[in-house]
Amino acid sequence: MKYDFIELKKRNSLALLDLKAKGKSIVGTFCTYSPKELIYAAGAVPISLCAYDESPINAAHAELPRNLCPLIKASYGYAVTKKCPYMNASDIIIGETTCDGKKKMYELLAKHKEVHVLELPNMTNKRSLELWIDEMKDFKDYLEKRLDVKITDEKLKETIEIFNEERDVLNKLMDLAKLDPSPISGSEMHQVLFASDFIYDKKEKIKMLCSYIEALKQKDMSKAKHKKRIIITGCPSGGVYEKVIKQIEELGADVVAFENCTGTKNFKNNISTQGDLIENIAKRYLKIPCSVMYKNDARSDIIKNFITEYKADGVIDIVLSGCHTYAIETNKIKEASKEAGASYMSLETDYSKQDVGQIRTRLEAFLEFLD
C-alpha cells in the first residue's frame, strides 16, 4: 500500500470547501500552544497556518521589516496575497503571545481576518499556570459565544481522548527511528508529521497512521547499512526541509528525531481525563519546552535523552533568521549535546534558496567530522 501524505495534504486543502459548505467553522492556528482540543470540542476544525514558503514574503515587506523571522513574514504574506487556501478558509485565527514579532504581526493580521490572541505566560511557575488556566477558560467562553455552541465536559473528555490517541500513535511512529537502521527515513518522517496535520478526520488519521506504522514494521531492513544519526532541534523545519533534511540524506546520513514544532513539541505529553479538564489542558500545553519560556531547561534534558534513546551522533539546531530566543539557546543546547556524547551544529538560515550551497558545504563538513 502506498502512503502519500503530501498528496493527501493537497487533496485536503480542497476538502476545506466541503467542510465549510457543511457548516463547519475553520479555526487557523500558528503555534503548538494553541489548544486544539477546545477547538475540536467546539465542533470546529483546527488547521495549521505556519508558512513554509518564501513566495509570499515580498508582499509582507511593505508592513514588516526585512530582518524579521521568515515564518512570520511568509505567514502574513499569505494573508495579504490570499494565495493560501488554509488562510482563506479560516473563519477565526488563533494567535499567542510567544515572540514579539508574532504579536505585532497579529495586529496587522486583524485587518484581514478575525484574530483571537491567547495570552501565553513566559514562565512555567504556579502563578503562570493560574494565568494560563484562566486564559483557557476565557478561550472556551470565546469559542462558545463565537460559534454558538456549548462545550460540555463530556464532549471535551471525548475530544481529549481522541487527541491523546493521536499523540500516542505519532510517538510510536517516531519511536521506530530508534531502531538501527531505521525503517523510516528522516524525510519520510518529516513529510508524515507535517502533512498528517492536515487530515481533519481524527479517526481516519489515526487509522491511516497505524496502518503505516505496521507496514514499516514489516519492512525488510536486513540489507540496510548503518548511517550517521542526526537529531533536528530548534525552529519549525517546514520551510527549510529541502535544503537541510534532504541534503543531510543526500550526504549519506539520516535524521532520526525531530525535537521541534514539527516533531515532539507537538505530540509529547497527554492530557489527563480525571479532574478539572480545563486545568489539565492548561498544564499540558504549558509544558511545551519552547525557547520563549524563561529558564527553558526542559529542552536541554529532552535533547540529552534523545541522544541516548536514538543513538544519535549529532544534533543540528535550526535557527530561523531573526528568531532571537532560539539563537540565544544555542550555547545551552550545544553543552547538552556534548554532555550526552553528540556533536553539535547551529544552522541559521531563512526560506530563501541563496544559501543552499553554503549549507551543503557546512553539512558535509559536519557529517565528515562525525566519522
Side-chain angles (χ1 to χ4, degrees):
M1 181 178 179
K2 185 178 179 181
Y3 300 86
D4 193 337
F5 286 89
I6 296 298
E7 181 59 34
L8 181 64
K9 176 180 179 292
K10 293 177 181 178
R11 293 201 309 269
N12 280 2
S13 67
L14 301 175
L16 283 177
L17 299 177
D18 293 333
L19 289 170
K20 288 180 72 70
K22 293 176 182 177
K24 284 283 187 181
S25 296
I26 310 300
V27 178
T29 66
F30 281 101
C31 186
T32 53
Y33 282 109
S34 295
K36 294 181 179 180
E37 289 83 358
L38 282 169
I39 297 169
Y40 204 78
V45 178
I47 58 171
S48 177
L49 297 179
C50 268
Y52 53 92
D53 178 12
E54 70 169 330
S55 63
I57 286 179
N58 281 337
H61 281 156
E63 298 174 271
L64 294 175
R66 292 182 177 273
N67 62 350
L68 193 64
C69 162
L71 187 153
I72 297 173
K73 292 190 293 185
S75 297
Y76 185 63
Y78 272 134
V80 173
T81 60
K82 302 187 186 306
K83 291 182 178 179
C84 174
Y86 306 105
M87 179 74 76
N88 295 342
S90 296
D91 300 295
I92 308 166
I93 291 175
I94 308 303
E96 71 304 309
T97 55
T98 49
C99 72
D100 292 339
K102 273 190 175 181
K103 284 185 285 189
K104 302 309 289 184
M105 185 270 280
Y106 294 141
E107 292 180 10
L108 301 176
L109 188 59
K111 298 185 298 183
H112 304 273
K113 288 284 184 177
E114 178 177 343
V115 178
H116 179 84
V117 176
L118 301 173
E119 186 176 353
L120 175 71
N122 295 136
M123 298 185 185
T124 57
N125 54 29
K126 181 180 178 182
R127 185 177 180 183
S128 295
L129 177 59
E130 291 172 354
L131 186 155
W132 191 229
I133 291 171
D134 286 342
E135 194 66 16
M136 293 297 96
K137 291 177 181 177
D138 289 345
F139 185 44
K140 175 176 176 287
D141 291 342
Y142 165 78
L143 289 172
E144 289 179 327
K145 292 175 183 177
R146 174 62 176 78
L147 303 178
D148 193 22
V149 296
K150 179 65 177 176
I151 301 176
T152 64
D153 283 349
E154 181 181 7
K155 181 62 177 177
L156 192 53
K157 181 179 179 182
E158 177 187 330
T159 301
I160 289 171
E161 289 173 344
I162 291 172
F163 276 83
N164 282 347
E165 185 178 0
E166 177 187 59
R167 282 189 280 264
D168 287 341
V169 172
L170 289 170
N171 278 310
K172 288 178 182 178
L173 175 65
M174 207 167 87
D175 281 349
L176 290 176
K178 293 178 180 178
L179 300 173
D180 189 4
S182 169
I184 180 170
S185 69
S187 59
E188 290 172 326
M189 177 81 72
H190 193 276
Q191 286 185 354
V192 174
L193 294 176
F194 188 76
S196 65
D197 199 36
F198 295 87
I199 303 174
Y200 313 123
D201 185 325
K202 292 297 175 183
K203 292 182 180 178
E204 176 194 353
K205 175 179 179 177
I206 291 168
K207 182 179 179 181
M208 187 175 184
L209 286 171
C210 286
S211 179
Y212 182 60
I213 290 169
E214 288 306 311
L216 288 171
K217 287 180 178 179
Q218 302 303 318
K219 191 174 179 180
D220 183 7
M221 300 298 296
S222 59
K223 296 181 180 179
K225 296 181 179 179
H226 171 77
K227 298 179 180 180
K228 293 298 178 181
R229 299 164 66 82
I230 305 298
I231 291 170
I232 296 292
T233 185
C235 294
S237 48
V240 297
Y241 162 76
E242 289 287 341
K243 61 180 179 180
V244 180
I245 287 85
K246 286 292 290 182
Q247 290 206 105
I248 289 172
E249 293 182 340
E250 290 171 6
L251 292 168
D254 204 0
V255 175
V256 293
F258 292 90
E259 192 288 313
N260 59 5
C261 298
T262 308
T264 55
K265 279 188 176 67
N266 201 24
F267 55 81
K268 280 289 183 184
N269 299 318
N270 280 339
I271 298 171
S272 173
T273 55
Q274 304 297 316
D276 188 321
L277 299 180
I278 297 295
E279 181 176 335
N280 295 345
I281 289 173
K283 287 179 177 178
R284 186 268 164 186
Y285 281 91
L286 201 60
K287 287 181 181 178
I288 294 172
C290 181
S291 64
V292 299
M293 289 295 170
Y294 177 68
K295 292 188 176 180
N296 179 38
D297 297 325
R299 183 176 167 224
S300 297
D301 294 335
I302 291 170
I303 289 295
K304 286 188 282 189
N305 290 335
F306 272 21
I307 290 170
T308 300
E309 293 172 5
Y310 289 88
K311 300 184 287 290
D313 302 290
V315 174
I316 295 179
D317 198 353
I318 296 174
V319 179
L320 293 178
S321 301
C323 187
H324 303 308
T325 56
Y326 272 107
I328 290 170
E329 281 196 355
T330 55
N331 285 333
K332 181 186 291 188
I333 301 305
K334 181 179 182 178
E335 291 173 4
S337 301
K338 289 188 173 181
E339 185 178 331
S343 297
Y344 170 89
M345 180 174 74
S346 174
L347 190 63
E348 184 173 346
T349 185
D350 57 19
Y351 286 178
S352 73
K353 297 179 176 61
Q354 295 178 353
D355 60 351
V356 170
Q358 180 186 25
I359 286 177
R360 187 177 185 88
T361 300
R362 289 195 61 198
L363 288 173
E364 190 170 18
F366 179 70
L367 296 175
E368 286 180 357
F369 177 76
L370 301 180
D371 292 334

